[in-house]
Amino acid sequence: MGAGASSLHHVHYRNLTAGFIELPLDHKDIEIQRPYDVPESSRYSFVNGVHKMWVYSDDKPHSINSRTNPRTELAIKGYEYSSGVWQFEGEGFVPRGTSGVCVMQIFGASHSRATTLMIRTYKGSLSYYRSPVLVPNIWNRWFKLNVIHDVDASTVKIYIDGVLVHEAAGHGGSSHAFKCGVYSQNDASHYMESRWKRIKVFKKE
């Protein structure tokens, strides 16, 4: 179901988190994954409650033995999960020009997949992997993202600014974790950046 679907409906914030417990989240629960050959401060800043992450398409991967694309991501640690219903909430911002990059993901899936979810930006739109487009014209504005992953039912629901924009199947796997930031994908711009604030993690009671 894409952003143009007739069944879109607004869900008030309290309804999205009703029945969930907000888990404590501070700096000890966050790991910044960045190109291995540069200091953290050259790809990440935290100022006035905003996590700013950026990376270049010719950067190194996050570890010397990794073959993955360049990334600067905020990985939530200590809340890896394998069952139940979990929710990520955060406010994101993608500056004009950032394209071909994952800005939020659920890491972990079964077999040949690495992720259960990727939210990417291409030429100013947010999309679920390559398609469908979730929201057009996302550049240079703050948006609120809620992602609800029901592991046992194998479903993922994506809400942007309180609107259900997509529901997808889960992809199995024995361990999952939330990440946000910038992780280069296909057709990436040379410079990629996203900003995040008010990041929260919830678990269904």
Side-chain angles (χ1 to χ4, degrees):
M1 181 170 63
S6 60
S7 58
L8 289 182
H9 57 282
H10 285 269
V11 178
H12 194 276
Y13 167 77
R14 285 198 298 268
N15 290 340
L16 285 181
T17 57
F20 285 83
I21 299 170
E22 183 178 349
L23 303 174
L25 194 64
D26 59 32
H27 283 283
K28 71 175 174 53
D29 305 307
I30 289 171
E31 175 191 342
I32 303 302
Q33 299 177 345
R34 67 185 190 281
Y36 70 80
D37 62 337
V38 297
E40 182 175 286
S41 61
S42 70
R43 296 293 185 273
Y44 167 80
S45 68
F46 182 67
V47 179
N48 296 327
V50 176
H51 303 270
K52 177 181 173 182
M53 289 158 277
W54 63 98
V55 78
Y56 296 90
S57 59
D58 54 359
D59 272 340
K60 297 285 196 294
H62 70 291
S63 69
I64 196 166
N65 296 318
S66 175
R67 297 179 180 271
T68 58
N69 290 343
R71 72 178 81 200
T72 303
E73 288 187 300
L74 183 158
I76 296 174
K77 311 301 287 186
Y79 292 127
E80 293 83 0
Y81 60 93
S82 58
S83 62
V85 185
W86 291 71
Q87 182 171 179
F88 170 93
E89 179 179 284
E91 295 177 32
F93 181 97
V94 180
R96 181 173 302 279
T98 289
S99 187
V101 61
C102 172
V103 296
M104 187 272 170
Q105 64 166 300
I106 299 176
F107 183 74
S110 61
H111 307 302
S112 60
R113 299 182 66 101
T115 62
T116 286
L117 166 73
M118 273 193 175
I119 294 177
R120 302 180 186 175
T121 180
Y122 289 102
K123 298 180 180 178
S125 297
L126 279 186
S127 64
Y128 169 80
Y129 291 94
R130 289 299 305 256
S131 65
V133 169
L134 304 174
V135 179
N137 305 318
I138 204 69
W139 277 342
N140 283 1
R141 73 171 182 88
W142 286 97
F143 60 91
K144 186 171 184 178
L145 172 67
N146 292 76
V147 173
I148 300 176
H149 183 195
D150 186 330
V151 180
D152 305 321
S154 194
T155 61
V156 178
K157 294 181 179 179
I158 305 167
Y159 298 83
I160 305 287
D161 295 327
V163 178
L164 177 62
V165 294
H166 193 64
E167 183 171 352
H171 293 294
S174 58
S175 181
H176 302 281
F178 296 127
K179 302 172 75 174
C180 61
V182 276
Y183 177 22
S184 175
Q185 300 297 309
N186 53 292
D187 302 321
S189 52
H190 178 61
Y191 176 77
M192 295 157 271
E193 176 192 320
S194 75
R195 306 169 200 168
W196 290 88
K197 62 183 179 180
R198 299 190 179 97
I199 297 168
K200 299 177 183 179
V201 175
F202 299 88
K203 183 182 180 181
K204 195 86 168 182
E205 294 184 77

